[in-house]
Amino acid sequence: MAVTQLPPMALAAVPGDGGATQGILRRQALRESAARTYARALPIVPVRARGMTVEGADGRRYLDCLSGAGALALGHNHPVVLDAIRAVLDSEAPLQVLDLATPVKDAFTDELFATLPPGLASRARVQFCGPAGTDAVEAALKLVRTATGRDGLLAFSGAYHGMTAGALAASGGAPADGVMAAGAAAAGVTRLPFPYDYRCPFGVGGERGAELAAHWAEKLLDDPKGGAPHPAGMILEPVQGEGGVIPAPDGWLRRMREITAARSIPLIADEVQTGVGRTGAFWAVDHSGVEPDVMVLSKAIGGGLPLAVVVYREDLDVWPPGAHAGTFRGNQLAMAAGAATLAHVRQNNLAERAATVGGRMLERLRRFAAGRPQIGDVRGRGLMIGVELVAPEAGFAAGAGVAPTGAGPVANPDHEEAPGGTTPGEVSPYEASPGGTAPCADAMRTAAPPAAPALAAAVQQECLRRGLIVELGGRHGAVIRLLPPLTITDEQTEAVLDRLTDALDASIRTAGTHSRELPPTAAPFVPPSTGDHR
């Protein structure tokens, strides 16, 4: 069976479009909020789907590497998910029960606890929240503040935790920058540097860059004049998704665990997008062996339906009844679909499969990137992959973000706060290095070229023309993001890579990077940071 063919379905065949697609899109543009995002860059009207294949109202078929922003671990309409939903419907069970106990919820909780890091599972409590990941983040932040009696929060540059006020404040940037800044100030968030190898905030990258990032965090916390009072918690993503698919080094993540544990600071792992096998382990923290105090889970845990929970150490469970609630925290269909998804991923070793297939995709994309300077970096973990596009001829003068060897302070545009008296956006090399010594001059990296968001937007459109749906993210929206379902076949994997590499070459030929304008056929660039709605 060709990868673009849908398997037999109970649905009737899609009739001739007759211009209906354009009419629906036109009415959407007239009636829906300006806040819509995906619909701007992906002008399709899906009418049926199976696995990773989506069919539009016009009969065109696409391979979906967006997967509901990572919510569809098993792809669209997987049989085990549909069977679980039908079983609940056929049983005449209530569909919505607030936080009452039900057999469906009990089964979901059993399956969830069976997948958690063992040390956490043995002493965990689970809180069912409103059905979006951002509400689970809000619950986690409220929880650690209640449990510790402290207000401050440690978060990271490049982070994305959701679009409600507290989650937005913990995030590293958002389209509504004024709102973001005000929210962050009100929430008492202290921003720390996240290890970003390609655009290292310290200009060195690799293990040394991660070491400096960890040292900065430790030094700031122990400095009575550092401006970061003893915080209520630290929140981080094991792989930053909207930030550009940036995996946290395992050693750095273990250091964050050590630093927080030594100071009685609860560590919150945001696994909303990284969980349920996405990164090649069931939970992304499993790669490092870290057991956080709190895990925020959503997206794939609902099997494609809205569901969000917070799992945390039992000694943090100190808040009174009703301290965090939500009408739709009793979604029985989502719990049934989620339990089926968790069990299927676990029983069929789909996390290991994601590691194998993702490694193969990364290897081929890196080979393809060689000799194409417009592809600045290819990175990822498991089936969470990013391709960062750049304007190589612009050079440091256009704002690459890293000072050349021997220059003064290391420019750091992706970092909002700088301890030790430096101005925002700068870090003294002497502050950056443990012991107060500057990094060796020959260890300083050549500046990474500026991001190329117009080129990324053109690639997205070229992919769509070839029947491939991809997402954008990262700084300036210049990272092509791939989030295929864990059930992707070998044949589909090759088709995705063929279409993506063809789209990259076509966009590089057409747009190049000399012109900052999009090709006439490409859609306008839309900042992608609003794309991961929670």
Side-chain angles (χ1 to χ4, degrees):
M1 181 179 66
V3 296
T4 54
Q5 288 183 329
L6 288 170
M9 294 185 182
L11 297 173
V14 178
D17 181 61
T21 296
Q22 292 307 312
I24 292 172
L25 293 174
R26 186 166 53 251
R27 287 189 292 276
Q28 180 187 40
L30 288 172
R31 297 188 292 201
E32 287 192 25
S33 165
R36 68 190 186 282
T37 55
Y38 296 112
R40 295 177 183 270
L42 302 172
I44 59 177
V45 179
V47 294
R48 67 174 187 172
R50 181 66 63 86
M52 73 175 300
T53 304
V54 173
E55 184 171 312
D58 59 359
R60 291 196 64 196
R61 288 169 176 162
Y62 305 86
L63 292 177
D64 183 7
C65 276
L66 178 56
S67 301
L72 300 170
L74 303 182
H76 296 273
N77 292 318
H78 194 282
V80 303
V81 173
L82 296 183
D83 288 346
I85 293 172
R86 289 191 188 103
V88 174
L89 294 174
D90 292 344
S91 73
E92 298 185 0
L95 300 183
Q96 159 63 314
V97 295
L98 300 171
D99 64 355
L100 300 180
T102 70
V104 174
K105 178 193 274 189
D106 190 52
F108 171 82
T109 304
D110 281 348
E111 189 58 49
L112 177 65
F113 274 49
T115 69
L116 294 173
L120 179 60
S122 65
R123 51 183 180 140
R125 294 289 184 269
V126 60
Q127 165 115 15
F128 290 83
C129 306
T134 192
D135 189 62
V137 169
E138 297 286 351
L141 301 184
K142 188 187 298 184
L143 171 72
V144 296
R145 285 172 171 143
T146 302
T148 64
R150 304 189 292 263
D151 291 326
L153 180 71
L154 299 173
F156 290 88
S157 57
Y160 177 80
H161 299 291
M163 294 299 289
T164 50
L168 188 62
S171 299
D177 289 331
V179 175
M180 166 63 202
V189 174
T190 298
R191 197 84 54 206
L192 298 172
F194 191 88
Y196 182 0
D197 188 37
Y198 185 63
R199 298 188 186 277
C200 177
F202 303 102
V204 293
E207 292 184 7
R208 181 59 171 158
E211 178 188 343
L212 292 174
H215 175 74
W216 184 330
E218 188 170 23
K219 184 174 185 294
L220 183 65
L221 286 172
D222 293 342
D223 184 353
K225 296 293 186 180
H230 198 190
M234 172 189 284
I235 185 168
L236 56 78
E237 300 160 275
V239 180
Q240 289 192 342
E242 303 307 298
V245 192
I246 307 172
D250 291 339
W252 175 86
L253 196 54
R254 287 190 285 269
R255 283 293 295 135
M256 293 303 101
R257 174 69 284 186
E258 293 167 1
I259 288 168
T260 53
R263 294 159 180 79
S264 299
I265 301 170
L267 178 63
I268 305 168
D270 181 342
E271 291 253 19
V272 168
Q273 190 167 94
T274 56
V276 194
R278 169 62 55 190
T279 68
F282 207 99
W283 306 107
V285 293
D286 294 341
H287 293 288
S288 62
V290 163
E291 292 186 347
D293 304 297
V294 183
M295 291 179 69
V296 180
L297 313 175
S298 187
K299 290 192 185 294
I301 68 163
L305 298 181
L307 186 64
V309 302
V310 182
V311 179
Y312 49 88
R313 288 191 344 249
E314 59 187 356
D315 58 292
L316 295 173
D317 194 24
V318 299
W319 51 15
H324 194 88
T327 300
F328 291 103
R329 65 193 188 275
N331 187 337
Q332 298 296 282
L333 291 181
M335 291 177 191
T341 297
L342 294 171
H344 191 79
V345 171
R346 178 174 59 83
Q347 293 167 3
N348 291 277
N349 300 315
L350 292 188
E352 292 82 352
R353 164 78 177 166
T356 299
V357 176
R360 194 160 69 238
M361 294 179 77
L362 283 171
E363 181 183 3
R364 180 170 162 187
L365 286 170
R366 285 169 178 157
R367 288 200 312 267
F368 175 80
R372 291 175 174 85
Q374 296 87 353
I375 302 176
D377 194 28
V378 176
R379 55 182 177 262
R381 200 154 205 179
L383 288 174
M384 193 171 181
I385 294 172
V387 179
E388 182 163 352
L389 303 181
V390 297
E393 79 291 343
F396 179 77
V402 179
T405 301
V410 179
N412 181 15
D414 296 323
H415 190 68
E416 297 186 8
E417 298 174 329
T422 56
T423 59
E426 291 186 347
V427 49
S428 163
Y430 293 92
E431 288 291 329
S433 181
T437 59
C440 297
D442 59 4
M444 300 296 286
R445 281 191 172 182
T446 303
L455 178 59
V459 171
Q460 185 183 45
Q461 293 307 300
E462 290 292 343
C463 284
L464 197 64
R465 292 187 189 97
R466 289 159 174 78
L468 177 63
I469 299 172
V470 299
E471 172 63 315
L472 302 183
R475 271 70 165 180
H476 313 292
V479 178
I480 305 295
R481 298 177 58 207
L482 302 178
L483 292 166
L486 310 188
T487 53
I488 185 173
T489 67
D490 289 343
E491 185 182 9
Q492 289 169 334
T493 299
E494 293 305 309
V496 166
L497 293 171
D498 288 344
R499 297 178 193 189
L500 175 58
T501 54
D502 189 47
L504 282 162
D505 269 344
S507 300
I508 290 169
R509 285 194 307 268
T510 302
T513 51
H514 291 285
S515 171
R516 297 307 173 92
E517 300 298 324
L518 286 173
T521 53
F525 169 66
V526 178
S529 52
T530 58
D532 183 8
H533 293 300
R534 297 191 178 185

